[in-house]
Every structure is written in structure tokens, then in C-alpha cells.
């Protein structure tokens, strides 16, 4: 997605939504005009880049005499992985881009190939499980693996739960316990405490989901994620990248 705001107050009014998008890893490009080079617009002068950087948001800006289309192309490329600010000087919009072609389209990054031995260990863990739980997060939604998770869970008699970011992924499915963590029902809490293996697919395992590591105390945690070293509030027994 993308949004445009004017410089100064337009940008500051967008900050709360911008931080929310960044922390939710939403693919978003925010285009904000910059008045830093306009002395007669001093009432709206604000260092957008410094503010965004302090909030952990990547910033792309053209050089003073650079082609703004090149910066826009770079910002679009980076926005595929999360929220990015394109800090566009107002004076840049008064000149056409020097590029005559469309912005480059980058092929999506190849998915990592899982370690066959790690796959075998995951399978063994599920075969041995008596009360498994499939826990899906935003990453599972983006990857489009709902049907695969359902097939896996049904094969092993698992229950199904989601993080808040993936709410509703398993709605109407037998064995769905709903949200896991801070906004969970008592039945969901009970199921999480009873399970002996939890397969976490594309979820960050933050303190909200794990209730500050009080859930899954007796469970073996198997994590499926693109980032095998992603931070977690729980001890991960097996990570499959």
C-alpha cells in the first residue's frame, strides 16, 4: 500500500499510524514532501528523516541533484518487506524524472530451503505428540499456507490457534481455539497449557502471544519461520527455516 502526506504537520499527523504499520511489518510506502530546502516555508520545516529514523523506519531520499525516480524505485523495492518513508524534497517534484523507463521490478526473494534432517525431526516430534497445537501468525497468512497447516493438523489430531494478527484464519474449523495469548478465551488458555507440542508458523512469539512466557510451559516448541533466529519469549526446541 502507499500513502502521501504533506510536509511538516501532514507527516507528524501520520506518525502513530506509521509506527503501527512498521511494527506490524506492513508493506507500506509513505511519500512525504520535504520543505527542508524551502526557507520561505519555515513554519512547516521538519527533518522527516531524523524523526523516522529515530522510530526505526527506513528512509529513502534522493540526493540534492539526484533523480527522484531512482529514489522512488529503491523505496518501492524496500517497501515490499515493510514500511518505508520516501522523503521527497518539494523542489524535486518541479522537475521531471530523468529516467525514461518504468521503475525496476525485482523478483521476490527465493524462499529458503529447509534442512531435510530438521524436517525429519519436526515429523518425529509430531508423531510423538499426544496433544499438538498449530499456532499460526501473520507470516502464515502472508505465505498463504492455511490449507497446508490444516492438512498437517488434521493428520496429527491437532488443535488450531492464531495470534491476534492472524485472527480468524481457522474460523469455523473443528478444533479452532481462536486467539492465543492476551485476548484469549479461558478455553484457549486451557488448550495451550495442555498441549505437549506447539508448531508455530510465522508468528513472532512475543509477550502478548505467550502471556510473557507463561503459556506452553510443558510443551515442546517447534518454529517454522523464514528467520530461524527470530527473537522469542519462549525457548524454541526446534526451528525450521
Amino acid at each position: 500500500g502507499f500513502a502521501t502526506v504533506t510536509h511538516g504537520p501532514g507527516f507528524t499527523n501520520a506518525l502513530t499510524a506509521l509506527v503501527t504499520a512498521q511494527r506490524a511489518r506492513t508493506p507500506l510506502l509513505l511519500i512525504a514532501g520535504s520543505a527542508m530546502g524551502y526557507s520561505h516555508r519555515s513554519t512547516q520545516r521538519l527533518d522527516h528523516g531524523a524523526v523516522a529514523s529515530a522510530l526505526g523506519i527506513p528512509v529513502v531520499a534522493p540526493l540534492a541533484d539526484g533523480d527522484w525516480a531512482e529514489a522512488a524505485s529503491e523505496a518501492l523495492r524496500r517497501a515490499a518487506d515493510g514500511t518505508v518513508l520516501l522523503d521527497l524534497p518539494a523542489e524535486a517534484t518541479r522537475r521531471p524524472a530523468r529516467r525514461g523507463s518504468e521503475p525496476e521490478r525485482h523478483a521476490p526473494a527465493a524462499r529458503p530451503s529447509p534442512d531435510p534432517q530438521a524436517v525429519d525431526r519436526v515429523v518425529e516430534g509430531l508423531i510423538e505428540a499426544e496433544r499438538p497445537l498449530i499456532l499460526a501468525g501473520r507470516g502464515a497468512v502472508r505465505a498463504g499456507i492455511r490449507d497446508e497447516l490444516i492438512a498437517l493438523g488434521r493428520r496429527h489430531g491437532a488443535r488450531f490457534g492464531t495470534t491476534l494478527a492472524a485472527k480468524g484464519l481457522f474460523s469455523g474449523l473443528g478444533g479452532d481455539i481462536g486467539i492465543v495469548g492476551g485476548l484469549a478465551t479461558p478455553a484457549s488458555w486451557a488448550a495451550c497449557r495442555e498441549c505437549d507440542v506447539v508448531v508455530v508458523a510465522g508468528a513472532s512469539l512475543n509477550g502478548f502471544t505467550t502471556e510473557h512466557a507463561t503459556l506452553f510451559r510443558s510443551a515442546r516448541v517447534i518454529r517454522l519461520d523464514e528467520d530461524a533466529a527470530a527473537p522469542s519469549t519462549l525457548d524454541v526446541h526446534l526451528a525450521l527455516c
Side-chain angles (χ1 to χ4, degrees), residues 1-2 29 60 71-81 84 86 103-104 106:
F2 73 91
L29 175 62
V60 177
S73 178
E74 172 65 12
L76 280 168
R77 184 186 67 79
R78 296 180 64 179
D81 297 321
V84 175
L86 174 59
E104 295 180 24
H106 297 265

Side-chain angles (χ1 to χ4, degrees), residues 159-206:
R159 292 178 176 178
F160 301 89
T162 71
T163 65
L164 181 60
K167 177 183 177 183
L169 184 64
F170 300 122
S171 290
L173 186 70
D176 176 27
I177 65 172
I179 295 174
V180 169
L183 298 177
T185 64
S188 174
W189 278 57
C192 291
R193 290 198 166 112
E194 291 171 358
C195 75
D196 57 352
V197 170
V198 54
V199 178
V200 184
S204 63
L205 287 177
N206 59 37

Side-chain angles (χ1 to χ4, degrees), residues 99-181:
R99 294 169 58 118
S101 60
E102 292 291 321
E104 295 180 24
R105 299 186 180 276
H106 297 265
R111 290 185 177 181
S113 297
D115 177 3
Q117 292 183 346
V119 174
D120 289 342
R121 290 194 293 271
V122 169
V123 173
E124 291 170 0
L126 283 170
I127 290 175
E128 295 172 357
E130 297 181 0
R131 298 174 302 280
L133 171 69
I134 304 290
L135 173 57
R138 184 191 303 272
V141 176
R142 288 184 175 169
I145 58 172
R146 176 182 183 272
D147 292 344
E148 288 84 352
L149 291 176
I150 290 174
L152 180 67
R154 284 179 168 167
R155 179 183 294 271
H156 296 281
R159 292 178 176 178
F160 301 89
T162 71
T163 65
L164 181 60
K167 177 183 177 183
L169 184 64
F170 300 122
S171 290
L173 186 70
D176 176 27
I177 65 172
I179 295 174
V180 169

Side-chain angles (χ1 to χ4, degrees), residues 4-20 30-36 42-52 55 57 85 87:
T4 61
V5 296
T6 191
H7 36 59
F11 177 70
T12 58
N13 282 337
L15 287 181
T16 297
L18 191 63
V19 172
T20 301
L30 176 67
I31 304 171
S34 172
M36 290 299 288
S42 59
T43 57
Q44 291 184 226
R45 286 170 62 86
L46 182 71
D47 192 341
H48 297 162
V51 174
L55 297 173
I57 296 164
L85 169 67
D87 192 20

